[in-house]
Amino acid sequence: MRPAKGTGSWRLGLASYQREELCWFGIFGFSMRPDEVFPRRDLTLVSRRLPSDAEAASLGPGMIVVECKLGQDSSGGQGGTGGQGGTGGQGSRGGQASTVELALGEAALTGLLSWLEAAPPGSHLGVYSAVPRDRVQSPPVFGW
């Protein structure tokens, strides 16, 4: 991960998909908290590309660089919920749009795209159409 296109150095880390946010943990940190938190409704994939020769040397083979927009411009005018960041944080900041680049393998990119597309209906509007958990009924179990 690194901030806006072509600026800063790449930081090695691990992403964790939560229900409504992507948590990014830096490998070389001592904290049990994520370095960055990107709310799902504020995260939009803008473009993807192969790494440059210089990037490929540090990222390794088989990586794809994706540019992600965070914040107001990525959610159709909705303000961001404010990301968290311990190291200068690239999460959305008070509704302001920012950009971050992620270097992912093909399988990880497929996972990110699936997670983004699997958002509940209306989640980008801050409204959920899902049935509350206390009203969900288990399907009948038939014994054979």
Side-chain angles (χ1 to χ4, degrees):
M1 180 181 102
R2 74 174 176 184
K5 188 188 291 187
T7 63
S9 59
W10 287 99
R11 296 186 304 168
L12 184 60
L14 176 74
S16 172
Y17 300 110
Q18 302 302 314
R19 182 176 178 193
E20 291 303 320
E21 55 197 18
L22 173 70
C23 298
W24 190 86
F25 298 85
I27 294 294
F28 300 112
F30 295 106
S31 176
M32 296 299 287
R33 292 184 158 187
D35 291 351
E36 308 287 345
V37 177
F38 306 120
R40 185 193 315 227
R41 69 171 150 190
D42 293 342
L43 185 64
T44 302
L45 189 105
V46 177
S47 65
R48 66 179 101 177
R49 64 178 174 82
L50 294 175
S52 67
D53 291 339
E55 290 173 325
S58 63
L59 296 176
M63 291 295 182
I64 300 167
V65 177
V66 294
E67 180 184 354
C68 298
K69 186 161 285 216
L70 307 159
Q72 186 174 12
D73 290 345
S74 65
S75 59
Q78 285 293 102
T81 59
Q84 301 171 4
T87 58
Q90 298 302 314
S92 63
R93 299 283 180 227
Q96 296 176 350
S98 62
T99 303
V100 66
E101 286 185 315
L102 303 172
L104 307 164
E106 192 172 330
L109 176 58
T110 301
L112 175 63
L113 293 172
S114 296
W115 178 78
L116 285 170
E117 292 173 4
S123 65
H124 66 286
L125 302 173
V127 177
Y128 296 95
S129 62
V131 176
R133 288 182 185 232
D134 60 341
R135 294 188 184 175
V136 174
Q137 296 179 357
S138 298
V141 177
F142 299 101
W144 296 100

